[in-house]
Amino acid sequence: MSISKTRHILVDVARQLFAKNGVERTTMNDIAIASGKGRRTLYTYFNSKEEVFAAVIESELERLSDKLDEVAEKKMRPQEKIIEVIYTHLSQIRETVVRNGNLRAEFFRNIWMVEKVRKKFDADEIALFRKVYAEGKASGEFDIENIDIVADITHYCIKGLEVPYIYGRLGRGLTLDSSRPLVAKFVYGALCRSSDVNKKSLDDFDKLEGMDGFENKETNNF
């Protein structure tokens, strides 16, 4: 079995144990036994449980990165692609946290470690935003003076929305689909040339505000 495959198995087994029992209640011995690889093999790849935890976070971020790369390769207008990237980011982050059970608390409790591990992911996502914005500027869809700054702002805005989105606090009554017109209105209105603004997307948000129960419906928290 290849080194990369063995490491992948160890990380996935650890993720499942962390999700079921929590990081604190999972030992290196538990991971070794559950993986069927033994302590010697486990310690060949990782010196501590903290390293295993970091590898689990990295693996989850790689899954998200792969999804964003898929969106980046789609044949669609830059306007639509930016919105798709934003929603893929938020939906995949939420899916990652939800599917990891008890591990999700560790994502927030050990935020310093999460931030350390996700540096590469953050840099890659900013690069993706720059690429799409550059495409839009070249095609005349985006009216942007400084692509780098806009890409940075977009990334950190979306990153800041992760926790409220995960816990259902991103506006009362908003769902992944119903909030799309709001984001579209921001992107089209702030970045696109006035002649290219998709009026239907702007009108959709105005209609959304008038939906029955929009102002009063509460979103359940996890």
Side-chain angles (χ1 to χ4, degrees):
M1 184 178 293
S2 67
I3 292 177
S4 59
K5 189 171 183 180
T6 299
R7 187 179 189 278
H8 174 77
I9 290 173
L10 292 170
V11 171
D12 191 56
V13 168
R15 183 192 66 77
Q16 294 178 51
L17 289 175
F18 291 160
K20 180 180 179 181
N21 304 318
V23 176
E24 290 297 322
R25 292 189 296 275
T26 300
T27 66
M28 290 289 276
N29 196 50
D30 292 334
I31 299 170
I33 294 173
S35 66
K37 299 299 179 184
R39 289 174 58 86
R40 177 175 295 181
T41 300
L42 178 60
Y43 278 99
T44 297
Y45 294 93
F46 306 102
N47 293 319
S48 65
K49 186 170 64 175
E50 287 69 28
E51 286 190 8
V52 180
F53 177 55
V56 168
I57 297 172
E58 184 178 12
S59 176
E60 292 299 285
L61 290 173
E62 286 176 354
R63 290 179 68 255
L64 172 56
S65 184
D66 288 343
K67 291 291 185 181
L68 294 180
D69 287 341
E70 289 177 12
V71 175
E73 295 302 317
K74 288 183 177 180
K75 301 297 182 183
M76 59 174 61
R77 296 179 63 184
Q79 293 178 10
E80 299 168 349
K81 189 176 292 187
I82 284 293
I83 295 171
E84 192 71 19
V85 169
I86 290 171
Y87 275 85
T88 298
H89 177 124
L90 290 175
S91 63
Q92 288 299 309
I93 283 288
R94 183 173 184 174
E95 178 186 311
T96 295
V97 173
V98 171
R99 84 186 186 97
N100 280 299
N102 289 326
L103 178 58
R104 66 189 183 191
E106 299 295 335
F107 289 140
F108 303 116
R109 186 179 300 119
N110 292 315
I111 195 67
W112 62 272
M113 180 178 287
V114 174
E115 285 298 308
K116 181 179 179 180
V117 175
R118 72 178 287 172
K119 281 184 178 180
K120 182 180 183 303
F121 166 78
D122 288 349
D124 289 344
E125 184 175 66
I126 290 172
L128 188 155
F129 278 127
R130 288 173 180 167
K131 180 181 178 181
V132 179
Y133 283 138
E135 292 174 358
K137 184 174 182 178
S139 66
E141 290 187 30
F142 291 146
D143 187 10
I144 302 174
E145 291 185 10
N146 192 314
I147 291 174
D148 290 348
I149 291 178
V150 174
D152 285 352
I153 290 174
T154 304
H155 166 75
Y156 287 110
C157 283
I158 302 310
K159 186 175 180 179
L161 291 175
E162 289 175 358
V163 173
Y165 179 75
I166 288 169
Y167 286 100
R169 297 167 186 159
L170 188 58
R172 293 180 298 170
L174 288 179
T175 65
L176 186 63
D177 291 329
S178 67
S179 59
R180 186 177 293 262
L182 187 154
V183 176
K185 186 171 186 177
F186 167 78
V187 172
Y188 294 149
L191 303 177
C192 298
R193 297 182 184 281
S194 58
S195 60
D196 285 341
V197 173
N198 186 326
K199 187 175 185 301
K200 182 178 183 300
S201 294
L202 303 186
D203 290 342
D204 283 344
F205 177 67
D206 294 331
K207 292 177 182 177
L208 178 64
E209 289 182 309
M211 288 174 59
D212 182 39
F214 177 78
E215 290 297 331
N216 299 316
K217 182 181 177 182
E218 294 288 345
T219 302
N220 292 328
N221 294 336
F222 286 108

